[in-house]
Amino acid sequence: MKGYEKYTPFGRITQLTDREWPDKLIEKAPIWCSVDLRDGNQALVDPMNLEEKIKMFRELVRVGFKEIEVGFPSASETEYEILRALIERGLIPDDVTIQVLVQAREHLIRKTFEAIEGAKNVIVHFYNSTSTLQRKVVFKKDMDAITDIAVNGAKLIRQLTDQMDTGSMNIRFEYSPESFSGTEPEFAVAICDAVAQAIGADKEHPIIFNLPSTVQLSTPNIFADQIEYFCKHISNREAVIVSVHPHNDRGTGVADAELALLAGADRIEGTLFGNGERTGNVDIVTLALNMFTQGIDPTLDFSDIKRTRAIYEECTRMKVHERTPYAGDLVFTAFSGSHQDAIKKGTDYMAETHSDKWEVPYLPISPADVGREYEPIIRINSQSGKGGAAFIMQQVFGYNMPKGMHPEFGYYVKKEADAKGKELTPEEIFSLFDRQYLHARSPYALGKHELYNTVAENEDESVTTFRGTVKCHNEEIAIEGSGNGPIDAFFDALKQLGIPNYKFVSYHEHAIGNGADAKACAYIELLTPEGANVYGVGVHSNINVASIKGIVSAVNRALQLSASL
Ligand code: KIV
Ligand code: ZN
């Protein structure tokens, strides 16, 4: 590929030799700030209207965001009106802080202060661009001139805050050295120190320094170095909340945010599903659920991810990609047979051991924890393993087939998927099971019958007798047999039909459903004289009848098999 020579490698821009972040772990959730209604919204083809913004705002509140950037009120009348509507309609809960963005420019700052009148908790977020490239090609200003813009903005904000009747208002401040990722680390610290001083930040009134990777320029380890450098060199660290605002140009927004936490960041700005300028902002859903799967309370509630996603898609008119972590349509679907088998083994293991830890391979999170069902976890196609269909039968329909039966049923499933040339739905899998086993009624169907026990004289032994009919091609044939139980007795009776001498191999049964509606399901395995193992399944409210139906199913299937050879 031609052209790469014109790009300059980013390299290490900090002199950080004693970096600590590689040895750290994420142990608690950061302060989250949603910028869906600002950064996310400004990147939409059709920005949200008032009602959509309100709907999205409500969802963000429901999910648990305590800081929400609601817009850029000085940028347009619409943005201004939306902010006023949120305040005047009393839509902002007392424990939620709204954040408003403004450039560090006098008239815009003044307009912003008009817009926030009457809000209870506000973060005034001001910014100017500080990177080497922007100073050179956009502003054509040196570091001092860029610092002046930020400091003058800070002074005006301090002054307007002091003038405002803040008795009922709690105003906090956030400054972003925009394009921080491309700013010399020493300059980023210096400009932020100057802003902190101008605004009068202290331990009781800390300022948020938001360090955006406005454009991602490096690998996440370099970004982590930049953050650790900032945290270690900023004056009066106690008076500062370090925030990051990763974009996703290199596809590493989540990595940037996670490493930034290791490097000392306290707060993360991002959006649902990573909406935002160009490749988007960091995806907070992924970040929060990544923490959840590490046993950390993310403090955000994505247990109804389908609802959050639906509101997001409705308001933004963007689509969540099928492979988006945790929320995409296909992320709980295993197409590979070996994955399906392992998932089934993991679920079985958890059930058998009553494990309260999540121990299922290939599923880093229980789909149920985000409000998604087990049913669509596995879709069955011609590549699926034998365990996949059995898993569906168990999870969706309650049929717990014995292990030995999996290959047999798996064979029919694969054949059907091949014939249809597509994956099978759980309903199609059940219908196949029904046809193959539950409705295997040809040539023989069980007719009226009775089973009774005769107790021998010594009372220690009893004999079970089967007496009844089987239908074969509209002919009703009476049969009778006895043995030491219903299965034995029915086998004895079958001899009168002159069918081959099938050997009984195994029997499994379990209940399906609960209470008065519960039924018994019996699985019978026979060995044919040709040496083939064949299964039959019977379901009935009476366990003895279920077993006999299971034998009839197995015999019919064995006869059909022999006929097809
Ligand atoms: O990406 C960015 O730098 C921003 C700032 C305005 C914080 O959105
Ligand atoms: Zn941004």
Side-chain angles (χ1 to χ4, degrees), residues 49 246 320 429 473 477 555:
N49 62 30
V320 170
I429 292 167
H473 308 303
I477 310 166
V555 165

Side-chain angles (χ1 to χ4, degrees), residues 126 128 147 150-151 154 175 190-201 207 209:
F126 62 112
N128 65 326
T147 306
V151 168
Y175 170 68
I191 197 167
C192 287
D193 273 345
V195 165
Q197 209 182 355
I199 220 152
I207 182 165
F209 284 137

Side-chain angles (χ1 to χ4, degrees), residues 35 38-40 42 69 101 125 178 210 212-215 245-247 269 276-278 280-281:
V35 294
R38 196 279 299 172
D39 218 345
Q42 77 185 36
E69 191 163 86
L101 182 72
H125 175 191
E178 201 243 36
N210 184 50
S213 33
T214 305
V215 178
H245 175 112
H247 278 268
E269 292 191 352
E277 287 283 5
R278 306 180 307 282
N281 288 70

